[in-house]
Amino acid sequence: MTRRRTARLRRTLLAGTTAVAVTAVTAGIVAAAQEPAKAATGPELSLVAATTSMTLTTWKEDPGVYLDLGTYLIAEGTPLELKVTRKSYKDPVTVTQTVFQGGKTKTKKLPTGTVKDFSGLPGFSEITFTDEAGDKVLTRSESFCPNNASGRVRPDAPATSKYPESCPTNPFTLGSVWGVEKGWAANTYGGSYTEPVQLPAGTYTAEVGVAKKYRDLFGIADKKATVKVTVVERSYEDEERSTGAAPRSAKAGEHAGHGAGHQAPTAHAGHGPGHAPSPAEAAAPMTSGAGPSYNVGHGPLKAAPPALPWALKKKQQKSAPSPRAGDSGGQTDGSRQAPALTPSSKRPTGKPSVPDVPKPDLRSLPAYGITVTDGAEDIPGKDYLAFSANVWNAGPAQLVVDGFRSPGKDKMDAFQYFYDAKGKQVGYTPTGTMEWDPRPGHEHWHFTDFASYRLLKADKKEAVRSGKEAFCLANTDAIDYTVKNANWHPNNTDLSTACGEENSISVREVLDVGSGDTYTQDLPGQSFDITDVPNGTYYIQVLANPDKRLQETDVDNNSALRKIVLGGEPGKRTVTVPAHDLVDAN
């Protein structure tokens, strides 16, 4: 199975903490930093512009201008913290604010309907553009993810933000935490949650304000930020001539991906140092969950992307048709460096045991990104049902698996580790094997028998089984960051951070509490061959820990079903995907 990567990031896309954002905010709002923090019953929030003038580029080959205007929401005194949850897929998404007061916290439930999903606060920013003649040429509103690119605005602010780096995009997310740390500012630009706008080259005045309902909810002053904007038109061809880069007639290598969506994310990745896809690994349709994504939540929907440092942008512009800048070993989304997880250097010693300590709880999400594909030139005359599947860890403990290789052997012996409340290892048990996958786009170690996928008939009897049952574990999607012991900053958000090399002698793979791992079943051998499957009603089953080799707190919640209806005729098969309770995403 593969994790998709995009060939080229859009310009001025944001999410995640970066040095670029920090520098821009700090330089643009010195006055705010001079004010000492004040005691408050809630966060003191204000909207500011990091700069009074800026230039935006409209690319001839792109659909318009992306409105990253450098406006930020500052939280002074106390953080802005929101917990966004739903009890089940039958219940709407609700949001609760955590209010910090006198060293204590209390909760404040925001009005029903404040949010509809986990992508951010809808209609938060109100933007108007006026041309040089004084005519209003653009009015629009945009959502705001408080976890967007952020930076400190004063030297006594916490050195790091405790909040996650993006808003999740998996359609089956259950809980999220959004926040702007005290003394920090978060960019209000919506990233790829927003659409570009059509603006001719010229000079404009942009005004950005906060919608009244949010000013009332959070006590934000009715003060707009004003930015002078110059729009210039450029083309990739001209840029390549000036930089000496290769022409863009060949699409930059799309990194084959295991949960592309963060996809996002998505939606959400690099299996090895980077490979252009072979024909068999050509990009699946956007609805399959294998489309572009930029953040931890690598779902089929795209989350607010991170800002690339300028050095990487320049490197990327000169690298076609090479892999995307930053998608080399040990990197996540091209802007943040993710450290590899360090396995134990030796096999565990002593007698295996399963102690009475907290353990992981693996749960399956219903399948999504469901579509019908064909075998193209590689396997002509075939029809396949492609889909995305996610298994997540509800905790309260990490799933930690180490693989150890005997010299000269093709497989590693895998062991699950257990830890006490202080993080001390107190036990281990054998749990199968790891195997090296040499196929282009993979080239890493897979943990066998982590999950399996079946197409069930209407009577729930098996019709087809996916050949994919071995995986490299990575925290691709933030599924529920409100569960006990959820880690808001998991390390291995990309396969290249944890899956090892061909010459590795040991590998550590971890699925953190609150996170899930999306695999997109879109290649023959993974997706279901439905060429000879009759039309009718079926269920896609996602089954975690099928052979119960992993030790869990509960093995009765490992299966999830998604109803589908197959139709059409050979070569033109169709799939209809009914809503799953309130989640209407195929």
Side-chain angles (χ1 to χ4, degrees):
M1 126 78 253
T2 57
R3 190 192 298 272
R4 300 284 176 195
R5 286 294 199 184
T6 57
R8 172 177 52 82
L9 283 182
R10 294 175 181 174
R11 286 137 185 86
T12 65
L13 298 181
L14 295 174
T17 304
T18 71
V20 172
V22 174
T23 302
V25 179
T26 304
I29 50 177
V30 175
Q34 293 174 347
E35 293 295 327
K38 301 175 183 178
T41 58
E44 299 172 33
L45 303 174
S46 58
L47 183 72
V48 300
T51 180
T52 58
S53 63
M54 65 183 309
T55 299
L56 298 179
T57 300
T58 176
W59 295 86
K60 292 179 180 179
E61 298 85 352
D62 270 352
V65 179
Y66 297 96
L67 299 182
D68 178 13
L69 301 173
T71 53
Y72 291 77
L73 186 72
I74 297 177
E76 287 285 359
T78 62
L80 170 65
E81 180 173 300
L82 304 173
K83 292 188 176 180
V84 191
T85 61
R86 56 182 163 198
K87 294 179 181 178
S88 73
Y89 301 126
K90 297 180 180 180
D91 298 289
V93 178
T94 61
V95 57
T96 301
Q97 182 180 0
T98 302
V99 179
F100 300 84
Q101 185 175 9
K104 298 182 179 180
T105 62
K106 63 179 182 179
T107 59
K108 172 186 173 183
K109 187 173 181 180
L110 301 188
T112 301
T114 298
V115 297
K116 298 179 181 179
D117 55 30
F118 295 90
S119 64
L121 299 167
F124 183 88
S125 302
E126 296 180 333
I127 303 170
T128 61
F129 266 64
T130 305
D131 64 16
E132 291 182 285
D135 295 327
K136 188 178 294 184
V137 296
L138 172 70
T139 300
R140 69 178 297 169
S141 62
E142 291 190 350
S143 297
F144 169 54
C145 169
N147 296 344
N148 261 2
S150 56
R152 296 192 302 167
V153 298
R154 62 173 198 259
D156 64 334
T160 59
S161 171
K162 60 178 170 287
Y163 297 107
E165 295 178 338
S166 62
C167 291
T169 60
N170 190 300
F172 289 98
T173 297
L174 288 164
S176 184
V177 178
W178 302 340
V180 182
E181 184 61 274
K182 66 178 180 180
W184 284 62
N187 193 293
T188 61
Y189 171 53
S192 60
Y193 282 129
T194 69
E195 295 296 327
V197 299
Q198 299 298 321
L199 281 174
T203 303
Y204 303 88
T205 299
E207 283 192 341
V208 183
V210 176
K212 185 177 186 304
K213 70 175 182 178
Y214 296 112
R215 298 200 308 267
D216 294 342
L217 276 176
F218 303 127
I220 304 172
D222 184 11
K223 184 179 179 181
K224 293 181 172 62
T226 301
V227 182
K228 293 290 185 182
V229 178
T230 300
V231 176
V232 297
E233 185 178 78
R234 299 166 69 186
S235 72
Y236 299 142
E237 185 176 346
D238 294 340
E239 183 77 1
E240 285 148 5
R241 280 201 201 99
S242 65
T243 61
R248 290 182 178 267
S249 55
K251 192 174 184 181
E254 292 184 2
H255 210 286
H258 123 296
H262 100 358
Q263 119 220 347
T266 250
H268 64 50
H271 278 107
H275 306 272
S278 64
E281 295 166 320
M286 278 294 291
T287 54
S288 75
S293 64
Y294 306 93
N295 73 316
V296 173
H298 295 300
L301 305 177
K302 295 174 291 184
L308 279 178
W310 176 243
L312 281 180
K313 286 184 180 180
K314 294 295 291 183
K315 178 181 177 182
Q316 182 185 80
Q317 291 170 4
K318 296 180 180 180
S319 62
S322 63
R324 200 184 86 192
D327 285 344
S328 56
Q331 291 191 338
T332 53
D333 54 21
S335 68
R336 296 190 298 274
Q337 192 80 12
L341 298 170
T342 304
S344 299
S345 58
K346 297 180 180 179
R347 289 171 178 262
T349 57
K351 186 177 180 180
S353 64
V354 181
D356 185 18
V357 294
K359 297 178 180 65
D361 181 12
L362 300 180
R363 301 182 185 182
S364 298
L365 299 183
Y368 61 97
I370 302 166
T371 189
V372 171
T373 64
D374 58 40
E377 297 178 359
D378 299 280
I379 312 179
K382 290 285 189 177
D383 293 308
Y384 293 95
L385 185 70
F387 60 97
S388 290
N390 184 292
V391 173
W392 72 288
N393 181 7
Q398 289 180 318
L399 171 64
V400 180
V401 178
D402 275 5
F404 297 93
R405 184 181 193 174
S406 296
K409 298 296 184 180
D410 293 331
K411 290 188 177 182
M412 294 186 181
D413 297 321
F415 298 85
Q416 182 180 358
Y417 287 80
F418 308 100
Y419 301 84
D420 63 17
K422 296 182 179 179
K424 179 183 178 181
Q425 180 189 319
V426 292
Y428 73 93
T429 187
T431 187
T433 61
M434 291 185 184
E435 60 186 17
W436 175 255
D437 189 333
R439 293 173 296 171
H442 294 262
E443 297 186 299
H444 54 218
W445 289 91
H446 282 166
F447 172 53
T448 58
D449 300 314
F450 174 67
S452 66
Y453 311 107
R454 297 168 171 86
L455 183 65
L456 308 180
K457 302 175 184 178
D459 60 4
K460 309 294 176 64
K461 293 183 179 179
E462 183 176 310
V464 184
R465 182 181 295 198
S466 168
K468 180 66 177 176
E469 293 189 356
F471 308 86
C472 173
L473 305 183
N475 301 301
T476 67
D477 296 66
I479 302 301
D480 193 348
Y481 276 5
T482 67
V483 297
K484 183 179 179 181
N485 294 339
N487 182 2
W488 296 352
H489 296 277
N491 282 323
N492 57 323
T493 57
D494 183 289
L495 293 180
S496 62
T497 68
C499 301
E501 305 292 339
E502 187 174 7
N503 61 358
S504 296
I505 198 166
S506 58
V507 172
R508 167 158 290 189
E509 299 184 3
V510 172
L511 191 60
D512 245 309
V513 179
S515 289
D517 190 355
T518 292
Y519 266 91
T520 301
Q521 316 297 306
D522 65 337
L523 300 180
Q526 302 172 4
S527 53
F528 298 130
D529 183 347
I530 58 170
T531 306
D532 299 320
V533 175
N535 290 339
T537 299
Y538 295 86
Y539 293 88
I540 296 176
Q541 182 189 40
V542 181
L543 181 62
N545 194 16
D547 294 325
K548 297 181 172 59
R549 292 182 177 180
L550 294 168
Q551 299 297 313
E552 299 186 59
T553 58
D554 186 356
V555 294
D556 295 328
N557 54 13
N558 288 10
S559 176
L561 301 179
R562 186 74 190 274
K563 183 178 180 179
I564 64 166
V565 180
L566 293 178
E569 57 188 46
K572 297 181 179 179
R573 299 298 296 273
T574 63
V575 60
T576 302
V577 185
H580 185 89
D581 296 326
L582 295 180
V583 181
D584 191 7
N586 72 336

